[in-house]
Amino acid sequence: MIFYNPSGAPELACNYCGCRWYDRLTNTCYECGEEVSEEDIAEYQAALEEFYARTGIRP
Ligand SMILES: [Zn+2]
């Protein structure tokens, strides 16, 4: 699932426990160990691109 923080930036969170931390090397949640799917990551990347386009911020 995707959360939006107060500044409007998307944050990827676990579909199972809702925690916002996952291991980017293995794509698993730190909290519950469930896998973060490629689809979720793609969705997050798209949301992030949209955020960058909207705000003009790019890291
Ligand atoms: Zn989790």
Side-chain angles (χ1 to χ4, degrees):
M1 67 176 75
I2 295 175
F3 276 112
Y4 290 89
N5 71 22
S7 64
E11 290 186 30
L12 185 59
C14 175
N15 281 332
Y16 299 90
C17 70
C19 102
R20 298 185 199 182
W21 301 103
Y22 77 99
D23 187 334
R24 284 162 201 269
L25 293 178
T26 59
N27 287 345
T28 51
C29 173
Y30 277 125
E31 201 64 38
C32 68
E34 288 288 346
E35 193 173 331
V36 178
S37 73
E38 294 286 333
E39 277 175 28
D40 285 343
I41 293 169
E43 201 177 314
Y44 169 68
Q45 292 295 349
L48 204 56
E49 286 300 323
E50 199 271 331
F51 172 72
Y52 292 152
R54 183 157 40 87
T55 58
I57 298 168
R58 189 167 285 273

